[in-house]
Amino acid sequence: MIRLAAAAICAALAITTPAQAADLDKVLHWEFRAAETGFDPGKVTDYYSNTVIEAIFERLLTYDYLARPSKLVPEAAEGMPQISDNGKTYLFRIRKGTYFAPDPAFKGAKRELTAEDVAYSIKRHMDPKNRSYWQWLVDGKIVGLDELAQKAKAGASALDYDARIPGLEVVDRYTLRIRLTRTDYNFAYILAMPAMSIVAREVIDTYAEDTNAHPVGTGPYVLTRWVRGSKISLEANPSYHGFVWSFLPGIDPRDREIVATMKGRKMPVIGRIEISVIEEEQSRWLAFQRGELDILLLPGTFAPVAMPANKLSPELARRGVTINQLIDPEITYTFFNMRDPVLGGFAKEKIALRRAIVMAYDTAEEIRVVRKDQAVEVQSPIPQGVAGFDPKYKSSIAFDPAAANALLDKFGYRRGSDGFRTLPDGAPLAIKRWSRSGDSEARELDDLWLKSLTRIGLRMETVTTKFADLLKLARQCQPMMASAAWIADYPDADNFMQLLSSANVGQSNYACYSSPEFDRLYLAARQLPDSAERNAIYREMNRRLEADTVWKLGVSRLRTMLIQPTVKAYKKHPILHAEWAYIDVEPQR
């Protein structure tokens, strides 16, 4: 934490006057591959919604644009927190003169962001009526907050936001002291997440159940148009304090070119962001080819065309297109519903069934056929690019269809006359795998899973639904099995291991996995900073997950961004979703 604070002081951004540098003729055209769900930080969970939230709101902390590995810097805070009491007390001073975008909720008054707003925004995640997916970020962590939530539950009433609790002490208008129930070496990272965006109470009260459509923040952009699942328009926030671009180059040679282009400029300079939801890969590719998109996350299907032999094609190079690549700090995985009567549970035959399914699936074929070699296989839930990653760790479960068939035979899953297996008691057996609709990549994965299960005599049915609905059903422990992805909210292994904590069933634990042994190890790891001792616990946790066979681990995708020549200084950040306030684009005249 001391190292974080010292580094951040050097990277603090100078404040300038509100948004005077933004040019409405400068328009960035962006794409989403799936629909957003809304823009209330306390109510949405998906990557696409959080991308917009990141641009509209501010958090106490954010990330340095160029630093790798990722480094925290102040945003709404005046500086990095003063940390005391062995990592249990965080003191923040709020930057003065930070104002929310104008909105009718403020009744014509100019509304400054204060420490009360930060405390209010944190409390919202524990309000029973919000059913916040992000409750796990603060649940059991802040002194007095759980008790406040329990009173609301017991009385079936609204949370008392005016109640003072020792864990969220508003010292004065611009000072907040956060007291934790236990040491947490990742709490500063949590405060930089989009879910911890700072909202105004008047806005939430004014729009009540429609807060997803009325995001009002202090960030660089405001929402001006929203056609659900189709179009999102943002414009530079006239009340935004702005900043002077002052980042230092890292080890990437291209950083020096970016610094030379942007250093000293008042930001943001892009006046409008136009986002189109384009689910089909071919449509996204053609839109970029026609110049309708300025930056494109290269669809896997077109990787051989755009990047033959993993080099930019001569045609794109002639047009001035450039690329920016990184291996995402993420995992894809297929989870098994541990509460499902067919596939779940800890009986030996149930574990054998899940283990056989994992052993039947060829991740190398997925990388070659579906990902077009734009991914790497992961061996544990902790991907590269985050603290706790172990490059030497290898999963104990390998692709082996012959062994999978033998395992099913041993535990009584016999083949019938049609070649498909039954349950050990002779009842019919069908595996229902849930999948997202409207996506060619998802359909390819469906076909690969069907092929995999058929090779071991398991009948598979595919149930398709919208991405947002699939996430909702997963939190309700409904799908028998389904595939998901998790990209780092913060660059630490804890952000991935929490996906299997029993405390997060109904939130991020889609497998609905509950293991006292895993939970014990998880809590022990959370008491430690990044260290060899903590990594040893993570190895033990990984083996526990393999023994129970809760997931089939997948890949970390190679994120290749294609960039039109009109875009300046773009570099994909491993944690930030929206880099729009840090870059430039040539104006449309």
Side-chain angles (χ1 to χ4, degrees), residues 40 43 105 120 124 129-130 200-214:
D40 181 339
K43 293 185 177 180
Y120 171 77
R124 289 190 72 220
K129 75 173 185 179
N130 287 335
R201 184 172 180 176
E202 302 96 306
V203 173
I204 302 302
D205 290 345
T206 297
Y207 298 108
E209 299 305 314
D210 198 27
T211 52
N212 266 325
H214 295 277

Side-chain angles (χ1 to χ4, degrees), residues 58-61 76-77 92-95 100 111-125 138 142 161 168 170 173-178 187 191 195-201:
E58 289 185 291
R59 292 141 294 283
L60 285 171
L61 305 172
F92 283 94
R93 289 185 170 83
I94 310 302
R95 187 183 54 235
F100 286 94
R111 176 63 158 81
E112 188 179 24
L113 185 151
T114 68
E116 287 281 5
D117 296 313
V118 182
Y120 171 77
S121 299
I122 293 172
K123 288 176 181 177
R124 289 190 72 220
H125 292 293
V138 292
I142 297 176
Y161 286 101
L168 292 172
V170 178
R173 183 175 176 84
Y174 302 108
T175 308
L176 177 69
R177 182 178 287 111
I178 303 176
F187 195 69
L191 293 173
M196 288 300 178
S197 294
I198 304 165
V199 301
R201 184 172 180 176

Side-chain angles (χ1 to χ4, degrees), residues 280-281 299-302 361 365-372 433 435-436 438-452 460 462:
E280 281 294 334
E281 289 189 344
T301 302
F302 294 95
Y361 188 86
E365 184 177 7
E366 175 187 328
I367 291 172
R368 185 177 66 257
V369 175
V370 182
R371 308 293 181 185
K372 306 299 185 291
R433 178 179 171 275
S435 176
R436 66 184 189 272
D439 188 320
S440 58
E441 180 185 278
R443 290 193 292 270
E444 287 186 278
L445 291 171
D446 295 343
D447 292 342
L448 190 54
W449 271 106
L450 179 62
K451 174 183 175 181
S452 301
M460 190 189 92
T462 301

